[in-house]
Structure formats: C-alpha cells, structure tokens
Amino acid sequence: DHFPVLTRVICRQFTDRLKNTSEQLRAYQEQRSMKAEQVFKNAGEIVVKKGEKAEVLYQLVLGKLKNEETGEVILPESTVSGFVEASAYFRCGVYSSNLTAIDHSLLVAIDSGSKLAAIRNFPELMLKLCEQDRL
C-alpha cells in the first residue's frame, strides 16, 4: 500500500520473466517434439519400397521385417533402437531395398518434418550413422 509504483514494477518484472520462461519452454518442446504415428503392418505388407523417396523414418517396435534384396530378417534388437533405412531418411535419399513385414508388426513412423527432433532425441542413432560413413 505504501509503495504502489514499486509493486507495479515488481509485478511487471515477474510477468515478463514468466512470459520469457514460457516462450523458452515452448521453443524447447517444439525442438524435441516429433510428428510420429503408430503403423501396423500385417504379414506380407510392404513397409518401404526400393527407390521411393525416404520421407518417413520407421522404427520397428514389434515384429519382423524381411529385406527382399538380401533376404535378411530384421528384428527390433538387430538395429540401432529398431530404426530401418535411417541413412536414406536423414540424407533425403531413397530407400535402398524393399522391406516387407514377415508377421504382424508395429512400427513408429516419424515424419520428414521431424528430422531435427529425431537427431536430438536419438543421438545413438546419429553416432552409428556417422561411424558407418567413416568405413
């Protein structure tokens, strides 16, 4: 009551600091949020087609995929965090082979607009891709 001007200045500072903190939090969340969805594939369904533009990063969560070019069976634990065809996705390339579901499979599909978020959220994947480039 005795210092109304000082009270207004302090309240204005608190308001500005809260607004600034909220904006920083929103920017941080946007950097790390991904446009992702769950995808279910039945046995025999194609997940990716050779030669198609790699606009989606797939993460195999459950099930098995078959690389039609090599005959390799891909399990979630046989890749880095379950990711398949990651190099093509990050390089804006095309898928290098046909991948088909062997049985009922659950995948996470990450949109191409979420590349930076994927890099930030999966550093082990990026390190593995960098190691492969050196070979």
Side-chain angles (χ1 to χ4, degrees):
D1 288 341
H2 300 298
F3 305 102
V5 174
L6 179 61
T7 302
R8 272 190 239 119
V9 169
I10 291 172
C11 286
R12 191 173 304 125
Q13 284 182 345
F14 285 147
T15 302
D16 290 343
R17 287 180 183 179
L18 181 59
K19 181 180 176 185
N20 186 22
T21 301
S22 295
E23 288 171 1
Q24 288 178 357
L25 179 60
R26 189 175 310 114
Y28 178 83
Q29 288 172 332
E30 286 176 7
Q31 288 177 341
R32 282 165 176 69
S33 66
M34 288 186 282
K35 294 177 185 166
E37 61 180 303
Q38 292 179 353
V39 177
F40 295 96
K41 295 288 184 178
N42 293 316
E45 283 189 80
I46 296 174
V47 177
V48 300
K49 291 182 183 177
K50 181 178 181 175
E52 275 189 356
K53 191 171 180 182
E55 294 182 337
V56 177
L57 175 62
Y58 288 100
Q59 183 181 27
L60 180 61
V61 179
L62 293 170
K64 300 176 195 170
L65 303 179
K66 181 178 180 181
N67 182 324
E68 298 296 338
E69 309 296 312
T70 65
E72 174 190 11
V73 175
I74 302 168
L75 303 169
E77 57 272 7
S78 67
T79 66
V80 179
S81 300
F83 290 103
V84 295
E85 292 281 347
S87 183
Y89 171 82
F90 287 110
R91 291 195 170 133
C92 302
V94 296
Y95 297 120
S96 63
S97 58
N98 291 324
L99 299 180
T100 307
I102 294 175
D103 54 11
H104 298 294
S105 299
L106 169 64
L107 300 104
V108 174
I110 301 171
D111 185 74
S112 63
S114 298
K115 283 183 186 177
L116 288 176
I119 291 168
R120 288 183 182 99
N121 287 301
F122 302 106
E124 69 281 355
L125 173 62
M126 299 313 300
L127 288 172
K128 186 66 173 178
L129 291 175
C130 289
E131 286 175 10
Q132 289 174 354
D133 284 347
R134 280 190 251 142
L135 298 177

